[in-house]
Amino acid sequence: MSSNETTWTDKSETPPRASEWRRFRRVFFGRRVVVFGTVIIGFLVLMAIIGPWIAPYDPIKINLRERLQDPSWQHWLGTDNYGRDILSRIIYGARTSLQIGLLSVGLASIVGMILGGVAAYYGGWIEAIIMRFIDALMSIPVVVLALVIAALLGGGETNVIIALSVSQMPQYARLMAGQVVSVKENDYILAVKSLGANDWRILFNHLFTNSVAPLIVQFTLTLGGTILAEATLSFLGIGIQEPTPAWGAMISNAREYLMDHPLLSIAPGVAIMLVVFGFNMIGDGLRDALDPRLRGRL
Amino acid sequence: MKKVLFVLVLASLLLAACSTPTPEPTKAPPTSAPVASTKAPEPTKAPAATTAPATSAPAATKAPEPTKAPAAATKAPEPTKAPAAGVTPKTGGTLTILVRALPNPIGNTLTNFAPGNTLYLFPAAEPLVGVAPDGQFVPNKLAVGWDVAPDGKAITFKLRQGVKFHDGTDFNAEAVKYNLDATRTARAELKVITSVDVVDTYTVKLNLSDWSNTILNQLSWHNGVMISPASVKGQTAEYIATHVVGTGPFMLKEFQAETKLVFTKNANYWEKGKPYLDGITYLLVADQNTSKNAFLSGQANAWDYLDAKNAPELVKQGYKINTTPGLGRIIYTDSINADSPFSKKEVRYAFEHAIDKQAIVDAFGYGTWKVAVGPCAETHLGCAVATANARKYDPAKAKQLLAQAGYPNGFKMSFYAVGSIENEMLTAIQAYLKDVGIQAEMSKPDSATGTTLHLEGWKNGVWLQGLTTDSPSYVAALQSDGPNRAKIFSSDVPAKYTELLAQAAAAKDAATQKATSEALIKYVQDEALFIPLFITSRTVVYTSKVHFDLDAYSVHSWNPGDAWLDP
Amino acid sequence: MRGLTRKMSSPVRSPFRRDLTGLKESDVTTYIVRRLLQSIVVLLLVSIFVFLAIRLMPGDPIKLMVYESNLTGLSPQQLADLRHEYGLDKPLALQYLDWLGGVLQGNLGISVFTKTPVAKEIFRRLPITFEIGLWSLLLSIVIGVPVGIISAVRRGTWIDQLVVTLSNIGVTIPVFWLGVILMLVFSLYLKWLPVMGFTPLTEDPGMHFKQLVMPVICSSLFSVAALARQTRSSMLEVMHQDYIRTAWSKGLNENAIIFKHALKNGLIPVITTLGLSARGIVGGSTVVETVFSIPGMGRLLVSAVSNLDYAYVQGIILIIAATVVAINVLIDIVYGWADPRIRYS
């Protein structure tokens, strides 16, 4: 019988209080690298929001006579193979990339939570059907799934988001199912049930809210990976289409200029690196702060 | 049949020239050159009208010009461009070529072959008709001569004797009949052949429903390739799909779909002393960047169909580059849909005025692309006529035309392109369209979706595709890539166009050919049946050790047997 | 109570392990049999999913083949014959059953494009993809796990900092980009390795391994980094637990503590990560094989999807799914071995 059995579920039965919040802040901001990650993501989110006002140029306006310029006062990061300002594209790209990350992981987690929650709560046939379906999805690698979905629906931002969320969904369903199974036998839930609350109410009001911590952690940890996956899809020709500035597509398209114009790849490469790093750090920090018991598992 | 005799004499001279022990059938061997120069009235364009029909038939006035056959025949002893004078080809070595695509499957030429695959077939299988680098038809492949009937409704081919397929069976008239009978029913462009008669072992007669001046052109590439009947008859589908048993200088040794194509020397090749190489290997590399690194690291001797942008750098590094005109890029619109903006001619005009072709050519062509002034390439017969009415870059005029057509604020549309079309070009076009208010949503459908759009039509959009420039015949180019509802469902094909095309295809002498081609070009341009953009390039880069008739390295006229490598 | 359930409230479970009620303790055989039966159900679902998905894709394979092969002169009757030849004129359910029947007999169907049985080509390419996958998995374990352990044991030292930094960077680099960089360094500047291609072991063993180096590095990059991160954090977790603290306080030898006590428990979540890595590596083959021009299954899949080659797409995805499922069954069994709590409640 290991010592780490029920601690966190016990704790989560009581909603966080002011003291909890203080503890959260202390742990979360206790690690410098987490603070650094938070600052990076904060900065990128800000850039995504105010991008249109700070970007020096139109990110999709081509100027074939000024293509592939080195950095200068006019173009801090130079221009790309269409003569577009790289800095402006990076700034606008923050918006696209974050959007893809947040929407696809958001969609995946919502659908996954519902499926996983319902499966685990009801058990029996419902669980068997849902979980076999989840297993089937899970046995197909992300890239392969995306390839099939892109062939079905065509390329473009919406479909990239759909492909990425379908491929992430099983993870959330599993995680949620695991959570619900462990929580639903608790005295607290049994008490609510005996008071006559209906199933949906129990699911939404109690089970979901009580399972949310690990899901938040998982959410931040997969965000970075999802933004990276967009680059892979672009490489296979099923990612975000030109001229929309997206970091993944930018780095993929810049490959052929790598030797002569390395900045074309380095700029979006660094941006992706920062965003993945930032989200991972926040994820780590959240995990430690919300529930140290999750360490080693997420 | 004096002409046949004449051709035979020439052919025997050619054979004699080629069978000399020294492997020096390079540019115009001395033995045959005088013959050629004395008998050939003028090796340039269309001298045929004066010579051949006059000698061949009483009905000289009605005699169709058998395209360029006689002229070509006189040029025969000069097979193709060969290595620089004075250099003796070396034997041995394997030429490894990196390519972007390989046929899938390689075999089954009879029912399953496309124009783009011709290149990969030629090492192993030869067509009836050869083509010289200048576009003239020459009897340096499996036919040693041909004769067109006075009424133009039959062509008689004299076949090369003593040629064997790789499986040891004889190449003869029966084999030609077998091949053509299989292809003429499956391919629209060969339907003009109504039947094939075996006259004797080495003579075969093609009966035509009507004269077509593109028939020799068709028989000079995949449509005219001859494979051993024994390699098809009674064989399993799997065997057929993976084997090409032809008469070529190389034999197919290994075919791995989507991977590689390996040819080895055919020791019994009919042209003695050839091939020089021990083998040719094609490696498929899907990613351009990988190709580049593989070529630079010495994993291959040549890299075909590279992006133009790599060319300058490779030249700087001392590699040899060969650039020939590639596909023209043209745009089809859904002009049959009444509710589409493109049903209005002004919109189609505006579309062309909106795009700064020159800027795109300068930016992405690296000196190897050209602006398509009219609906043709300058290598096409009669294309000069389009210059006067060229629609130049003029965004103001484009906007004005759009307003006239009832779209003062522009409109939204889909832009489809498929295949190895340069992404950069598409993005640039999209940006220019945006400037005049046309919001183009670019999509590169996979080939399955693309085909469906082609065959079943699309709404409110355009399709970017290629226009072949392999032959000077504009008619041949339109036969494969011109407006055709069976291939491009959504684009209008006016009756007038069909009529003009038929007239041009049936034109019998050079002057009529030119005049009808010009009429066709003018009509296509005025009606904007398709919108011409650029003529791209086909670029091959190779190491200094490679010697091959690269000027002739086009789809129709490559002679793989002539290639050689420095040790 | 649940027999094979890990009792702790861990959210992390092997992707394919589930709660099995009513099992006798230690009834491992039953467990494995049930697990295999579930896998078959999963694969059936995958087969239906793929079968339907590819048929929902826009386009008609016969028309596509005819168009690409320049057979536009064929008559409608000839086209109908072709369609009949490939059984594409039957109702969907029947087509599916036909195909499934064939699969059970090892016949994955005939490609409309190549006219050859796809099983032959797939099984020719399978070992290539698998070899790269196995080496990558091996490399991930051999590098990722020890590095993670060292980093955890030496927490806070420069080694730990380095591992954390590198593993964080490792999960942020796109594979295709790393491929290009490796080519530039190892092939063009150092001239140690060939840029691309694949040579069978039997043909030239030296070349075989040289050509594998860069693809294996690329396809293992992510899982090396992920495993290192995972090992580090789960080791840290375990090392803070009471029994390890007790061991320390008893003055046990450091190695004994790490290897005897901490490692075994610490590795459990690592096994889970490994299962996910396997899936990632199999999927990543599409990218790695394109970058290094390796004739494996991944590249075949990319082209088959775009050609709408039903038999190939169905066959390849089914095999990929079967591989992933098999790896996970295996991992579940290992899991049971590594974590006794799973078996004994």
Side-chain angles (χ1 to χ4, degrees):
Chain A
M1 200 56 74
S2 101
S3 61
N4 63 346
E5 255 176 29
T6 48
T7 359
W8 94 264
T9 40
D10 288 346
K11 180 186 60 190
S12 52
E13 278 174 29
T14 50
R17 297 205 183 89
S19 61
E20 288 264 330
W21 173 237
R22 222 172 295 141
R23 194 196 68 86
F24 174 87
R25 272 190 316 193
R26 181 173 48 79
V27 178
F28 185 80
F29 293 109
R31 281 173 67 198
R32 257 179 308 169
V33 71
V34 174
V35 176
F36 182 53
T38 314
V39 169
I40 291 174
I41 297 301
F43 176 72
L44 291 178
V45 169
L46 189 72
M47 204 157 94
I49 295 168
I50 63 165
W53 290 279
I54 56 165
Y57 293 89
D58 180 347
I60 60 173
K61 174 81 188 161
I62 67 164
N63 187 348
L64 295 184
R65 289 179 175 83
E66 284 183 17
R67 57 198 297 266
L68 297 171
Q69 288 188 353
D70 289 332
S72 63
W73 281 113
Q74 282 79 41
H75 301 282
W76 290 3
L77 294 177
T79 60
D80 72 1
N81 47 330
Y82 302 97
R84 302 178 297 203
D85 182 54
I86 294 178
L87 180 64
S88 303
R89 287 183 68 73
I90 292 285
I91 293 173
Y92 273 88
R95 182 173 274 214
T96 323
S97 295
L98 287 177
Q99 208 173 332
I100 290 169
L102 288 171
L103 283 179
S104 58
V105 180
L107 204 65
S109 57
I110 291 168
V111 176
M113 275 171 76
I114 293 174
L115 284 181
V118 166
Y121 183 74
Y122 289 102
W125 273 109
I126 296 179
E127 182 186 26
I129 292 170
I130 293 181
M131 290 323 264
R132 276 323 82 74
F133 170 70
I134 300 284
D135 285 349
L137 271 185
M138 197 134 187
S139 67
I140 304 174
V142 179
V143 182
V144 175
L145 210 53
L147 207 65
V148 172
I149 292 174
L152 258 174
L153 306 174
E157 191 169 340
T158 318
N159 296 334
V160 166
I161 291 172
I162 293 175
L164 290 175
S165 58
V166 168
S167 56
Q168 308 251 17
M169 190 270 284
Q171 275 175 282
Y172 288 93
R174 269 193 186 292
L175 193 58
M176 188 64 196
Q179 285 301 305
V180 170
V181 163
S182 63
V183 179
K184 78 171 181 182
E185 304 283 318
N186 279 340
D187 298 345
Y188 158 69
I189 300 290
L190 292 176
V192 176
K193 220 173 183 176
S194 66
L195 288 174
N198 78 22
D199 288 353
W200 285 102
R201 200 145 167 191
I202 295 175
L203 256 175
F204 281 102
N205 287 3
H206 303 288
L207 292 180
F208 282 177
T209 42
N210 275 317
S211 311
V212 113
L215 283 160
I216 288 178
V217 176
Q218 173 81 4
F219 190 92
T220 37
L221 285 178
T222 43
L223 255 176
T226 310
I227 291 170
L228 190 66
E230 191 264 310
T232 305
L233 296 190
S234 290
F235 172 78
L236 291 172
I238 48 177
I240 301 296
Q241 307 294 315
E242 287 278 5
T244 312
W247 295 339
M250 285 170 76
I251 195 172
S252 165
N253 294 339
R255 267 175 307 141
E256 296 186 15
Y257 294 95
L258 189 65
M259 287 219 266
D260 298 333
H261 305 280
L263 208 56
L264 255 69
S265 329
I266 291 172
V270 168
I272 289 183
M273 220 175 251
L274 286 176
V275 76
V276 179
F277 178 79
F279 277 124
N280 281 348
M281 288 307 105
I282 293 183
D284 281 358
L286 282 175
R287 180 192 60 203
D288 291 354
L290 286 172
D291 180 12
R293 294 293 159 211
L294 289 172
R295 169 180 294 194
R297 272 165 249 135
L298 281 177
Chain B
M1 297 300 277
K2 280 185 208 158
K3 196 189 138 249
V4 172
L5 272 176
F6 163 69
V7 166
L8 279 178
V9 169
L10 270 176
S12 53
L13 276 171
L14 169 69
L15 277 176
C18 293
S19 56
T20 43
T22 45
E24 242 183 280
T26 52
K27 205 162 189 171
T31 46
S32 50
V35 183
S37 55
T38 48
K39 295 226 168 156
E42 192 65 73
T44 49
K45 295 228 159 77
T50 52
T51 40
T55 52
S56 63
T61 46
K62 278 203 166 183
E65 188 213 14
T67 62
K68 286 141 193 162
T74 57
K75 281 176 65 92
E78 181 190 351
T80 38
K81 195 148 182 177
V87 181
T88 315
K90 310 262 190 328
T91 51
T94 298
L95 181 63
T96 305
I97 307 175
L98 304 175
V99 291
R100 278 184 187 203
L102 282 179
N104 187 16
I106 175 67
N108 217 351
T109 55
L110 296 187
T111 58
N112 214 351
F113 241 84
N117 295 347
T118 307
L119 170 69
Y120 308 105
L121 256 191
F122 268 15
E126 296 168 301
L128 275 184
V129 179
V131 180
D134 60 3
Q136 307 268 330
F137 298 106
V138 287
N140 65 351
K141 294 282 170 80
L142 288 177
V144 292
W146 47 83
D147 185 24
V148 178
D151 63 356
K153 292 203 170 178
I155 306 184
T156 307
F157 285 95
K158 270 286 165 198
L159 305 179
R160 193 173 297 284
Q161 301 193 10
V163 176
K164 281 192 188 301
F165 288 112
H166 298 157
D167 59 6
T169 55
D170 285 328
F171 166 73
N172 54 29
E174 284 295 342
V176 174
K177 180 175 164 57
Y178 180 85
N179 277 277
L180 288 180
D181 276 347
T183 47
R184 70 190 172 83
T185 49
R187 309 250 167 82
E189 60 272 32
L190 292 182
K191 287 227 152 141
V192 67
I193 305 174
T194 51
S195 62
V196 181
D197 297 336
V198 173
V199 178
D200 61 46
T201 319
Y202 294 105
T203 312
V204 66
K205 185 175 162 215
L206 276 54
N207 298 307
L208 309 178
S209 58
D210 206 346
W211 169 243
S212 163
N213 57 30
T214 58
I215 188 75
L216 287 180
N217 191 55
Q218 293 298 351
L219 293 176
S220 69
W221 62 350
H222 73 288
N223 279 329
V225 149
M226 296 293 141
I227 59 169
S228 158
S231 72
V232 181
K233 273 191 244 171
Q235 303 286 2
T236 62
E238 191 186 350
Y239 178 91
I240 296 170
T242 48
H243 288 75
V244 177
V245 180
T247 58
F250 297 92
M251 297 189 286
L252 181 62
K253 182 183 164 205
E254 191 187 0
F255 168 64
Q256 280 183 19
E258 304 273 328
T259 310
K260 64 178 171 182
L261 191 52
V262 181
F263 294 100
T264 50
K265 183 174 189 159
N266 170 15
N268 300 317
Y269 188 52
W270 54 265
E271 194 172 349
K272 295 295 165 223
K274 285 187 184 175
Y276 304 121
L277 294 171
D278 290 338
I280 296 182
T281 300
Y282 287 102
L283 294 180
L284 181 137
V285 187
D287 190 58
Q288 284 278 294
N289 214 32
T290 309
S291 289
K292 182 176 171 182
N293 291 334
F295 176 76
L296 287 175
S297 74
Q299 264 185 293
N301 314 95
W303 171 23
D304 197 0
Y305 286 108
L306 58 139
D307 272 352
K309 67 165 149 293
N310 290 310
E313 185 194 332
L314 293 167
V315 170
K316 222 187 292 165
Q317 295 191 32
Y319 294 103
K320 294 197 267 186
I321 287 259
N322 183 70
T323 302
T324 45
L327 282 179
R329 298 287 186 214
I330 58 174
I331 284 178
Y332 278 103
T333 65
D334 63 329
S335 48
I336 56 156
N337 298 327
D339 56 348
S340 162
F342 294 105
S343 63
K344 299 196 172 65
K345 199 154 81 175
E346 292 92 340
V347 174
R348 304 203 293 271
Y349 281 15
F351 199 94
E352 195 173 349
H353 283 302
I355 298 168
D356 191 347
K357 298 181 192 174
Q358 191 62 51
I360 294 177
V361 163
D362 290 345
F364 305 117
Y366 293 86
T368 67
W369 294 7
K370 287 202 170 88
V371 167
V373 175
C376 43
E378 30 179 82
T379 47
H380 286 139
L381 179 65
C383 194
V385 76
T387 318
N389 298 321
R391 285 187 277 274
K392 297 200 174 70
Y393 175 54
D394 188 347
K397 184 155 185 201
K399 279 184 188 159
Q400 182 208 328
L401 282 165
L402 284 176
Q404 258 177 39
Y407 300 97
N409 303 315
F411 54 89
K412 281 192 174 172
M413 54 158 281
S414 311
F415 194 119
Y416 303 103
V418 78
S420 61
I421 285 169
E422 298 76 3
N423 287 318
E424 294 180 319
M425 169 166 75
L426 289 185
T427 306
I429 292 173
Q430 184 186 29
Y432 283 114
L433 291 176
K434 189 167 172 274
D435 286 347
V436 300
I438 301 177
Q439 306 285 339
E441 194 196 318
M442 313 306 272
S443 93
K444 275 188 96 172
D446 53 52
S447 47
T449 317
T451 306
T452 312
L453 290 170
H454 257 157
L455 299 179
E456 286 162 19
W458 65 85
K459 285 244 183 293
N460 186 21
V462 302
W463 183 280
L464 179 74
Q465 70 157 48
L467 175 71
T468 176
T469 60
D470 293 320
S471 127
S473 167
Y474 186 58
V475 179
L478 289 186
Q479 278 176 343
S480 45
D481 299 319
N484 176 353
R485 297 282 313 268
K487 286 182 181 170
I488 306 139
F489 180 81
S490 291
S491 225
D492 192 23
V493 184
K496 178 92 190 287
Y497 168 81
T498 316
E499 193 187 310
L500 285 172
L501 185 66
Q503 278 172 16
K508 286 165 184 168
D509 61 79
T512 323
Q513 271 185 32
K514 183 153 187 276
T516 49
S517 267
E518 283 176 347
L520 194 54
I521 288 168
K522 270 182 88 80
Y523 182 75
V524 172
Q525 188 179 33
D526 287 347
E527 291 301 313
L529 293 186
F530 55 79
I531 299 159
L533 295 177
F534 334 101
I535 310 299
T536 60
S537 58
R538 177 196 175 184
T539 306
V540 194
V541 60
Y542 49 108
T543 65
S544 55
K545 287 185 174 173
V546 178
H547 302 267
F548 79 114
D549 54 340
L550 277 169
D551 288 346
Y553 191 45
S554 90
V555 175
H556 286 265
S557 56
W558 185 37
N559 293 294
D562 292 351
W564 58 280
L565 282 171
D566 280 331
Chain C
M1 270 316 289
R2 290 157 190 275
L4 274 166
T5 324
R6 195 168 169 204
K7 249 204 99 191
M8 54 188 258
S9 59
S10 155
V12 172
R13 314 173 335 146
S14 148
F16 288 85
R17 192 171 60 78
R18 61 198 33 79
D19 308 332
L20 301 165
T21 45
L23 277 185
K24 283 188 196 113
E25 283 179 10
S26 80
D27 197 350
V28 184
T29 326
T30 316
Y31 171 64
I32 293 175
V33 169
R34 271 194 82 167
R35 199 60 196 74
L36 287 176
L37 284 176
Q38 284 175 344
S39 305
I40 291 170
V41 174
V42 167
L43 288 179
L44 273 176
L45 280 172
V46 169
S47 72
I48 295 174
F49 165 74
V50 174
F51 186 87
L52 289 179
I54 186 162
R55 272 162 183 79
L56 285 175
M57 287 176 194
D60 170 359
I62 294 287
K63 279 187 189 164
L64 179 65
M65 187 271 286
V66 162
Y67 185 83
E68 297 211 327
S69 308
N70 201 24
L71 298 179
T72 39
L74 290 185
S75 68
Q77 182 55 43
Q78 284 170 301
L79 287 178
D81 290 349
L82 263 177
R83 198 173 298 279
H84 182 71
E85 196 185 323
Y86 293 99
L88 292 170
D89 53 348
K90 293 184 189 167
L92 269 190
L94 217 58
Q95 286 187 37
Y96 175 73
L97 290 178
D98 275 358
W99 174 63
L100 198 65
V103 170
L104 294 178
Q105 296 162 26
N107 171 14
L108 295 174
I110 290 178
S111 157
V112 172
F113 274 84
T114 60
K115 301 191 168 54
T116 51
V118 297
K120 198 175 159 192
E121 182 71 7
I122 292 179
F123 286 112
R124 194 177 64 73
R125 287 165 173 255
L126 200 65
I128 301 176
T129 301
F130 278 12
E131 187 183 355
I132 295 174
L134 277 179
W135 284 120
S136 307
L137 219 50
L138 210 64
L139 195 72
S140 320
I141 298 169
V142 167
I143 296 179
V145 175
V147 158
I149 294 172
I150 293 169
S151 167
V153 172
R154 301 270 173 267
R155 189 178 188 187
T157 61
W158 67 270
I159 276 202
D160 182 36
Q161 303 280 354
L162 187 74
V163 169
V164 169
T165 314
L166 284 183
S167 64
N168 272 314
I169 291 174
V171 294
T172 67
I173 297 178
V175 167
F176 61 86
W177 203 67
L178 179 73
V180 175
I181 302 285
L182 290 181
M183 279 179 196
L184 291 180
V185 175
F186 291 106
S187 305
L188 291 184
Y189 293 120
L190 297 175
K191 300 193 192 300
W192 289 350
L193 299 168
V195 169
M196 50 146 227
F198 179 84
T199 314
L201 184 64
T202 47
E203 228 172 74
D204 182 351
M207 194 48 144
H208 175 82
F209 289 112
K210 273 182 168 180
Q211 282 175 328
L212 280 183
V213 174
M214 293 196 294
V216 167
I217 291 177
C218 278
S219 73
S220 63
L221 170 81
F222 188 87
S223 51
V224 168
L227 271 185
R229 270 168 62 102
Q230 182 65 69
T231 310
R232 176 178 180 274
S233 56
S234 60
M235 284 299 283
L236 284 178
E237 157 80 0
V238 171
M239 283 163 66
H240 280 115
Q241 282 176 10
D242 295 343
Y243 71 101
I244 300 288
R245 289 206 197 121
T246 316
W248 281 109
S249 62
K250 278 184 1 202
L252 279 180
N253 168 292
E254 186 188 341
N255 283 342
I257 295 171
I258 293 165
F259 290 103
K260 263 180 123 169
H261 302 285
L263 194 56
K264 202 173 173 194
N265 284 318
L267 279 187
I268 293 162
V270 174
I271 295 170
T272 308
T273 311
L274 203 61
L276 288 170
S277 294
R279 173 183 175 223
I281 287 172
V282 175
S285 66
T286 45
V287 176
V288 172
E289 287 169 12
T290 305
V291 170
F292 293 102
S293 209
I294 293 165
M297 235 171 25
R299 242 182 72 196
L300 189 64
L301 179 67
V302 175
S303 61
V305 167
S306 94
N307 274 342
L308 213 65
D309 205 327
Y310 289 179
Y312 269 121
V313 176
Q314 289 167 187
I316 295 172
I317 296 187
L318 192 63
I319 284 176
I320 288 179
T323 312
V324 174
V325 168
I327 291 174
N328 281 291
V329 170
L330 216 70
I331 280 175
D332 277 1
I333 294 168
V334 174
Y335 219 80
W337 162 81
D339 187 353
R341 283 169 306 187
I342 287 170
R343 255 179 280 152
Y344 311 107
S345 46

